[in-house]
Amino acid sequence: MKLDFSLLKTLTELAGISGREAPVRQFLQKQLAPYADEIRTDKLGNLIVYKKGTSDKNLLLCAHMDEVGLMVRYIDERGFLYVVPVGGLDPRTLLAQRVRVQTKNGPILGVIGTKPVHITTEADRAKAVPMSDLYIDTGLPAEKVREQVAPGDSIVLDREYEEFGENRICAKALDDRAGVFVLAELVRCVKKPFYNIYAVFTVQEEVGLRGAKVAAYGVDADLGFALDTTGAVDVPGVSPANHIVSVGKGVGISVIDGYTITPKWLFEELKQICEREKISWQARVAPRGGNDAGAIHQDKTGVPACALSIPTRNIHACVEVEDKNDITAMFQLVLYVIEKGLTGPQGE
Ligand SMILES: [Zn+2]
């Protein structure tokens, strides 16, 4: 089964910060309707795609549509825009970057300004610029800015999808359009699922797993997975003990993070499938962080859940880096689970 990575390119180029996911949702709705037994959107904006299985067990698969970004906070007298972050953004990664402000008349280009080296001291350059001091230059006169832009308008990072090196991708919003891509491809490819599949493209993960919480409530899941990305810090300056996961070494199967501890039987069974089916994988033992699995496993009386993660360098910056083989490994593992089903806990 070959994944169509042109779909991932399209997905990363859509604008969808938390709470403003409509462009992503509308795109997916159109793409996936032909493959769904039922497709609907809930009141928070989650897109739920249902495919009937051969058993009576329900499987919840979540991938979040939202990306980190900004919102307009204030427009000054000269037309410069000031912002608030939406999700975890490091202002150091935003300086001198291009953005697209989503106005009522469509997106406009903006540039996040930075003081040039010519007028800064070494001490200035050693300091991080706080988010509150960042400003966006739209190139428009102040009165035109006020006509088009309003406080609350969303702002997305602006960067093209590129493939580079060996099997690598660099783009904005790979977190979590890569997971969305895998889930969309699963919906398209799965012919005869064992489980009743609830493929949920969630909203507002980056601001606290808000979409997954209500989505899980609406589905009586027997088992749940979050298909997401995770920070890979396998880079210079970080000791191997702190790498957590490495790019190119396979899908990350979560053991623990800041929100979820995977049931032992579930971790072991996924590991055995990967070994048997020759799917590259690595254990994700993360001291912090979380994803939709954190909301899924606490639903109602509890749902066994696991986060599957694509290792991502420079996560939450506009140059996120992933390996196509890791994405494919996630697809293969989940496809196997969907088609064959899991044995479940053996007396645990
Ligand atoms: Zn994510």
Side-chain angles (χ1 to χ4, degrees), residues 200-275:
V200 181
F201 299 89
T202 59
V203 295
Q204 301 192 39
E205 190 271 352
E206 296 290 358
V207 289
L209 325 179
R210 297 174 191 173
K213 188 177 173 190
V214 302
Y217 189 84
V219 173
D220 269 318
D222 294 291
L223 181 66
F225 290 98
L227 310 186
D228 206 338
T229 58
T230 189
V233 279
D234 56 335
V235 291
V238 182
S239 81
N242 293 321
H243 283 180
I244 306 173
V245 289
S246 300
V247 172
K249 295 203 173 151
V251 55
I253 303 178
S254 244
V255 181
I256 186 170
D257 61 27
Y259 289 77
T260 316
I261 300 172
T262 304
K264 193 158 172 31
W265 70 264
L266 182 51
F267 175 76
E268 291 296 331
E269 197 171 345
L270 295 170
K271 186 174 101 176
Q272 280 160 19
I273 292 169
C274 286
E275 275 166 13

Side-chain angles (χ1 to χ4, degrees), residues 111-332:
V111 173
I112 301 183
T114 181
K115 275 194 200 155
V117 66
H118 313 73
I119 61 159
T120 52
T121 64
E122 211 167 307
D124 287 336
R125 292 194 290 275
K127 274 191 295 205
V129 178
M131 190 67 76
S132 55
D133 287 0
L134 293 183
Y135 63 86
I136 295 174
D137 180 355
T138 62
L140 291 169
E143 64 278 12
K144 287 217 168 126
V145 174
R146 269 189 285 276
E147 247 168 60
Q148 281 198 54
V149 182
D153 282 354
S154 70
I155 301 166
V156 293
L157 304 176
D158 180 53
R159 193 60 70 100
E160 314 66 43
Y161 172 105
E162 296 271 6
E163 296 189 1
F164 74 117
E166 283 187 9
N167 296 313
R168 299 282 157 94
I169 298 165
C170 178
K172 79 161 180 77
L174 284 172
D175 179 7
D176 183 30
R177 302 293 157 70
V180 165
F181 166 62
V182 169
L183 190 49
E185 286 290 79
L186 287 164
V187 169
R188 183 171 70 88
C189 296
V190 169
K191 296 281 177 295
K192 223 175 154 210
F194 169 76
Y195 296 103
N196 298 313
I197 307 290
Y198 292 86
V200 181
F201 299 89
T202 59
V203 295
Q204 301 192 39
E205 190 271 352
E206 296 290 358
V207 289
L209 325 179
R210 297 174 191 173
K213 188 177 173 190
V214 302
Y217 189 84
V219 173
D220 269 318
D222 294 291
L223 181 66
F225 290 98
L227 310 186
D228 206 338
T229 58
T230 189
V233 279
D234 56 335
V235 291
V238 182
S239 81
N242 293 321
H243 283 180
I244 306 173
V245 289
S246 300
V247 172
K249 295 203 173 151
V251 55
I253 303 178
S254 244
V255 181
I256 186 170
D257 61 27
Y259 289 77
T260 316
I261 300 172
T262 304
K264 193 158 172 31
W265 70 264
L266 182 51
F267 175 76
E268 291 296 331
E269 197 171 345
L270 295 170
K271 186 174 101 176
Q272 280 160 19
I273 292 169
C274 286
E275 275 166 13
R276 210 170 49 233
E277 301 300 312
K278 309 217 175 336
I279 298 167
S280 60
W281 75 283
Q282 49 192 320
R284 173 175 175 264
V285 180
R288 286 203 301 258
N291 46 61
D292 282 341
I296 298 167
H297 83 285
Q298 295 191 70
D299 182 53
K300 298 194 190 82
T301 56
V303 178
C306 180
L308 301 175
S309 308
I310 301 157
T312 308
R313 287 184 189 154
N314 318 319
I315 196 162
H316 289 194
C318 60
V319 286
E320 293 180 329
V321 169
E322 291 181 355
D323 192 299
K324 286 164 124 180
N325 291 337
D326 296 339
I327 297 172
T328 303
M330 180 194 271
F331 174 85
Q332 289 170 330

